[in-house]
Amino acid sequence: MNGELSELEHLLDAAELLRAIQARRPAIAQFHNKEALFADRRMAAFRGRYNGAAVVLTLFHGEGHVDRTRRRKREFDRLETALADGRFRIAPLVAAWPGEGITMTAEVTGRGLDAEIAAAEPAGRDALVGEAGEWLATVLAGAHRQAVFGGRHWVRNAARQLARVGGAEDRALARTLGTRLEALLPTVTGTTVTQALIHGDFRPCNLVRSSEALCGIGMAGAQWMPVARDLARFLVDLHLTHPRPGGRRAFGIDAGDLDALSAPLALLERRERARLLPFFIGVELADSFAQGAQEPGRSEALCAAVAHFLDGNGLPLL
């Protein structure tokens, strides 16, 4: 409940800030807000209309908001040029006011990939999940690098989130998960990691099939992050929202989904898939567990996934 109240407070603050900006900027005042989509202490997103077209407005605020908006605009410009009219695209940028921390992107109409996956037979599911991997590989192709992985930040952040878990049984599971991540840290620290300019919310629901292409939506500012983390986020989210019936499990999630999604990612080295991907699946499970689940079925799936990860299935493959 505290998290919900906090997000509501952020939404109200962001809506007030947007109204103040619109009062002094006639061009931005042409945006008619219909729905608040998301807000935290650094950014907010709103759905509405601008010059008669459906758009999503992203508002960056707080420290460094101008630079973050400029980086986002540059990344949109780069990707729109690189992707052009191919089968993998992003929601096009409509307008940007970096000085105000605002960008607008067109709202893409079509069917979400999550809905397609939910309705698919096993072979069709593999093809769809593989297509998501192709989309990610295409988007990351022009901006990736090698670095040395630390990992302490991820374990510390997971421990901080898991400390908020309530309920005796859940707290015990949270402590065990945090301990497992701490134990995995020496196996990944110092290894080579592939980083890319990642937008941080690679999930099935953020891929939409329009009449012409598979488009990524909900893209926030790009940061240099491990590619394995994006894969883990997609896989955990997919398993919790649309689990594969009777599928074989690996690290708490579906092994078939893991294979299909990672196959197109040639830039991800084998040792990263063997060590860093399981580590980040654990990190994403910790994040989901700390946030809790709104639906009973999802909550049960989450606890089962965490238990499977801990039952000797969260260890890296050597």
Side-chain angles (χ1 to χ4, degrees):
M1 179 64 71
N2 289 338
E4 294 176 5
L5 289 175
S6 178
E7 182 173 0
L8 176 59
E9 290 171 353
H10 288 311
L11 284 169
L12 293 173
D13 289 344
E16 183 178 352
L17 176 58
L18 176 59
R19 287 193 295 269
I21 293 172
Q22 290 181 303
R24 66 174 182 267
R25 295 295 301 268
I28 302 174
Q30 296 303 308
F31 172 76
H32 299 285
N33 183 21
K34 300 292 185 182
E35 179 185 4
L37 300 176
F38 164 81
D40 62 17
R41 62 185 181 84
R42 290 169 56 85
M43 64 173 287
F46 303 88
R47 177 183 287 122
R49 301 193 70 80
Y50 180 73
N51 289 339
V55 299
V56 174
L57 181 150
T58 301
L59 172 62
F60 294 95
H61 54 87
E63 184 177 357
H65 70 283
V66 174
D67 288 339
R68 283 184 281 137
T69 311
R70 285 174 177 160
R71 285 198 302 271
R72 185 177 201 238
K73 183 181 184 304
R74 285 196 299 268
E75 182 64 2
F76 266 91
D77 291 342
R78 181 187 74 81
L79 285 173
E80 287 185 5
T81 299
L83 301 177
D85 296 326
R87 54 188 286 246
F88 301 119
R89 305 181 195 174
I90 60 171
L93 186 68
V94 173
W97 294 268
E100 302 290 358
I102 288 176
T103 61
M104 287 185 197
T105 55
E107 184 170 13
V108 179
T109 58
R111 192 180 191 194
L113 190 70
D114 56 336
E116 292 189 343
I117 292 173
E121 296 297 325
R125 180 183 178 110
D126 289 342
L128 292 168
V129 174
E131 193 175 8
E134 290 183 69
W135 180 91
L136 184 63
T138 303
V139 168
L140 302 184
H144 59 85
R145 67 187 186 188
Q146 301 293 305
V148 177
F149 187 65
R152 172 57 61 185
H153 157 78
W154 299 100
V155 172
R156 186 183 300 118
N157 186 58
R160 185 165 51 246
Q161 293 188 75
L162 289 169
R164 301 198 304 265
V165 173
E169 291 185 10
D170 286 351
R171 278 200 302 271
L173 196 59
R175 283 195 299 270
T176 307
L177 180 55
T179 301
R180 174 60 61 85
L181 290 174
E182 185 73 38
L184 289 177
L185 187 57
T187 72
V188 295
T189 300
T191 59
T192 299
V193 59
T194 301
Q195 296 179 331
L197 279 174
I198 286 174
H199 302 270
D201 208 20
F202 179 54
R203 304 174 190 269
C205 63
N206 281 339
L207 291 173
V208 175
R209 192 180 307 283
S210 68
S211 59
E212 301 175 333
L214 186 65
C215 295
I217 63 172
M219 300 170 66
Q223 305 178 62
W224 287 103
M225 300 283 280
V227 174
R229 188 252 186 154
D230 252 19
L231 294 182
R233 173 157 290 189
F234 185 100
L235 290 166
V236 169
D237 187 82
L238 176 59
H239 181 69
L240 296 180
T241 53
H242 302 294
R244 185 191 298 246
R248 180 173 59 88
R249 299 289 180 256
F251 316 116
I253 52 91
D254 187 82
D257 290 340
L258 189 157
D259 292 341
L261 184 67
S262 59
L265 273 294
L267 59 85
L268 200 65
E269 296 182 356
R270 183 185 65 83
R271 288 180 67 84
E272 289 185 76
R273 300 185 195 205
R275 294 179 180 243
L276 283 171
L277 186 50
F279 173 79
F280 275 111
I281 288 172
V283 168
E284 288 299 317
L285 285 172
D287 180 67
S288 295
F289 196 60
Q291 291 183 27
Q294 301 300 317
E295 302 173 10
R298 183 181 171 102
S299 179
E300 293 173 8
L302 178 55
C303 289
V306 171
H308 188 278
F309 182 87
L310 294 172
D311 189 24
N313 296 292
L315 296 175
L317 295 174
L318 301 179

